[in-house]
């Protein structure tokens, strides 16, 4: 356990506590939210450090009293057994954590191989995430969506947020960061007349939502195009050019939004998506340029390949990164996804404790 790191973090905790006690900070909601999240992250460290200090003090007192009264010996022994557990907990809390764990996310689901069946499954995944968010008490907002002819989703982007400051600094990202990658489904499609099982795929992208202050965007670097929104089969939704497509010229990142009838609202939502993508791009470039920085990241799951299979005939869900298999697919799609997410979180924790940089993809 690094005593210097602990002292630094406890000093930061004390400083944040003073700042939050000053009513003036709440005049700037963005700053207040940022400070509040960091304070929430450090609170478990402060609490555990105080618990350890108290336990050590009690042990010293019990041993001193035991020299005069044997009845205190049992208390001293109990304290001596308890302290290593507190030390281990504190050491784990002091490990570098994902700096984005307290953030909200923008989750995108894109139909892939499999045509209409892929779009239908993309709709199933959207409902799964919305139901899971509801179970967690999170707030969801559909930023943009394109439905398919049969009511599936060709492409959808959803903002998912915590209410207030996340407990312990663990926000939506800390749970859903594992979801990025290719999700494969095996089932008899609604469009299949002969009852044959088909395999199709859906892509999921999860990015932490960035605050305006975190990403500076030069308006001269943007090309903004407007166009007419359209629904399934090209059916016109709006009679005005309210949909917005924004291209960030230096990076080539493109985002679009057409859900709202107001061009201004669509542009605002598109800018939120652009900020998130540019923030993640900058983070990935920095991590690639410095292996030490990459080693400090907790967000280690490979998102570029197939990560999970949903097998409907067997009611089976399998996560290929950690060899996780469960036969409760119906419950998972109903929003009860904590089983697989807990398994991923625990696998990541074990990898970090072992000093590894990535979860094993066996």
């Amino acid at each position: 356990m690094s005593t210097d790191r602990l002292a630094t973090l406890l000093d930061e905790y004390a400083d944040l506590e003073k700042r939050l006690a000053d009513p003036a900070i709440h005049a700037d909601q963005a700053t207040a939210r940022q400070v509040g999240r960091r304070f929430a992250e450090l609170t478990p460290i402060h609490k555990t450090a105080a618990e350890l200090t108290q336990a050590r003090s009690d042990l010293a007192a019990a041993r001193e009293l035991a020299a005069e009264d044997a009845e205190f010996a049992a208390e001293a022994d109990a304290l001596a057994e308890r302290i290593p557990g507190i030390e281990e907990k504190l050491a784990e809390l002091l490990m570098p954590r994902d700096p984005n764990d307290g953030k909200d996310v923008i989750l995108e689901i894109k139909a892939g191989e499999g045509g209409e069946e892929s779009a239908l499954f993309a709709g199933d995944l959207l409902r799964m995430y919305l139901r899971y968010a509801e179970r967690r008490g999170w707030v969801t907002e559909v930023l943009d969506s394109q439905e398919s002819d049969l009511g599936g989703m060709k492409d959808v982007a959803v903002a998912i947020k915590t209410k207030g400051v996340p407990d312990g600094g663990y926000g939506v990202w800390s749970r859903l960061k594992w979801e990025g990658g290719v999700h494969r489904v095996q089932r008899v499609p609604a469009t299949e007349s002969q009852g044959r099982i088909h395999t199709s795929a859906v892509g999921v992208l999860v990015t932490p939502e960035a605050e305006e202050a975190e990403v500076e965007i030069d308006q001269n670097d943007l090309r903004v195009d407007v166009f007419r929104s359209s629904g399934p089969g090209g059916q016109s939704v709006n009679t005005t050019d309210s949909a917005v497509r924004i291209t960030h010229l230096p990076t080539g990142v493109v985002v679009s939004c057409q859900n709202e009838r107001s061009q201004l609202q669509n542009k605002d939502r598109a800018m939120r998506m652009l900020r998130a993508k540019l923030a993640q791009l900058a983070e990935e470039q920095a991590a690639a340029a410095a292996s030490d920085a990459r080693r400090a990241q907790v967000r280690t799951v490979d998102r570029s390949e197939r990560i999970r299979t949903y097998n409907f005939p067997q009611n089976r869900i399998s996560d290929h990164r950690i060899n996780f298999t469960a036969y409760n697919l119906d419950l998972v799609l109903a929003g009860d996804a904590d089983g697989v997410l807990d398994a991923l979180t625990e696998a990541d924790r074990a990898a970090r404790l072992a000093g590894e940089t990535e979860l094993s993809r066996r």
Side-chain angles (χ1 to χ4, degrees):
M1 185 192 305
S2 172
T3 55
D4 290 342
R5 173 170 166 75
L6 176 59
T8 299
L9 293 176
L10 291 179
D11 287 343
E12 183 183 358
Y13 175 89
D15 179 63
L16 293 172
E17 191 173 34
K18 290 179 182 177
R19 291 181 66 185
L20 288 172
D22 183 356
I25 194 175
H26 299 287
D28 184 345
Q29 287 300 311
T31 300
R33 185 164 54 249
Q34 184 179 18
V35 171
R37 284 178 174 172
R38 180 58 175 163
F39 183 77
E41 289 177 15
L42 296 181
T43 296
I45 295 176
H46 174 267
K47 182 178 179 180
T48 306
E51 183 183 1
L52 180 58
T53 299
Q54 185 62 54
R56 286 172 172 171
S57 176
D58 291 345
L59 175 59
R63 282 175 172 170
E64 184 177 343
L65 291 170
E68 302 175 1
D69 188 341
E71 291 184 4
F72 287 98
E75 182 179 346
D77 291 342
L79 286 166
E81 290 180 5
R82 178 168 161 257
I83 285 175
I86 304 174
E87 291 174 335
E88 182 179 348
K89 179 182 177 182
L90 183 58
E92 185 176 334
L93 288 170
L94 289 174
M95 290 175 60
R97 61 183 282 179
D98 189 328
N100 292 319
D101 269 351
K103 291 187 176 181
D104 302 320
V105 308
I106 293 177
L107 184 144
E108 298 173 70
I109 306 172
K110 301 177 183 293
E113 298 177 5
E116 191 64 49
E117 162 62 6
S118 177
L120 288 170
F121 184 59
D124 291 339
L125 286 183
L126 172 62
R127 285 184 287 276
M128 177 185 78
Y129 291 124
L130 293 178
R131 289 165 179 168
Y132 182 70
E134 184 179 5
R135 284 171 174 261
R136 304 284 298 195
W138 295 337
V139 178
T140 58
E141 175 189 7
V142 177
L143 300 177
D144 191 37
S145 63
Q146 296 181 47
E147 291 188 16
S148 68
D149 292 337
L150 296 183
M153 284 291 173
K154 294 180 181 178
D155 196 340
V156 59
V158 186
I160 307 178
K161 300 174 173 290
T162 55
K163 293 180 180 178
V165 176
D167 186 29
Y170 289 97
V172 181
W173 174 258
S174 69
R175 296 298 288 174
L176 296 186
K177 60 185 172 183
W178 317 114
E179 295 306 288
V182 177
H183 295 239
R184 185 177 67 173
V185 59
Q186 296 172 328
R187 67 181 178 185
V188 178
T191 55
E192 170 59 53
S193 60
Q194 299 182 26
R196 292 174 299 185
I197 296 174
H198 288 223
T199 298
S200 58
V202 170
V204 176
L205 176 66
V206 187
T207 50
E209 183 158 10
E211 303 282 352
E212 282 192 51
E214 294 179 277
V215 182
E216 291 187 14
I217 299 178
D218 188 339
Q219 295 299 313
N220 294 323
D221 289 338
L222 303 179
R223 185 177 73 235
V224 181
D225 301 307
V226 295
F227 57 98
R228 187 161 297 176
S229 302
S230 62
Q235 178 184 359
S236 177
V237 173
N238 290 334
T239 56
T240 60
D241 293 339
S242 61
V244 174
R245 181 186 300 110
I246 301 177
T247 304
H248 186 249
L249 299 175
T251 62
V253 173
V254 179
V255 295
S256 62
C257 186
Q258 62 173 0
N259 266 34
E260 299 298 328
R261 293 186 177 276
S262 162
Q263 186 181 118
L264 191 62
Q265 287 178 306
N266 281 328
K267 183 178 180 181
D268 179 65
R269 289 183 169 192
M271 286 297 293
R272 287 171 60 187
M273 295 167 66
L274 179 62
R275 278 195 295 272
K277 289 180 181 291
L278 292 180
Q280 185 178 51
L281 179 62
E283 184 177 322
E284 290 172 351
Q285 289 173 341
S291 59
D292 288 342
R294 183 176 180 83
R295 200 169 292 121
Q297 297 300 311
V298 181
R299 182 163 49 94
T300 54
V301 175
D302 185 346
R303 295 132 196 269
S304 63
E305 301 178 16
R306 180 195 69 191
I307 62 167
R308 194 175 295 152
T309 295
Y310 304 75
N311 185 295
F312 277 70
Q314 298 178 14
N315 197 35
R316 169 173 56 84
I317 180 170
S318 300
D319 196 289
H320 307 293
R321 295 163 292 183
I322 56 172
N323 287 339
F324 173 92
T325 297
Y327 293 87
N328 62 343
L329 176 57
D330 54 338
L331 297 179
V332 173
L333 290 176
D336 187 7
D338 276 327
V340 62
L341 296 179
D342 286 344
L344 285 160
T345 301
E346 181 55 33
D348 177 74
R349 172 183 172 276
R352 289 187 295 120
L353 288 173
E356 300 173 13
T357 58
E358 293 190 356
L359 286 182
S360 173
R361 297 188 71 256
R362 301 177 184 85

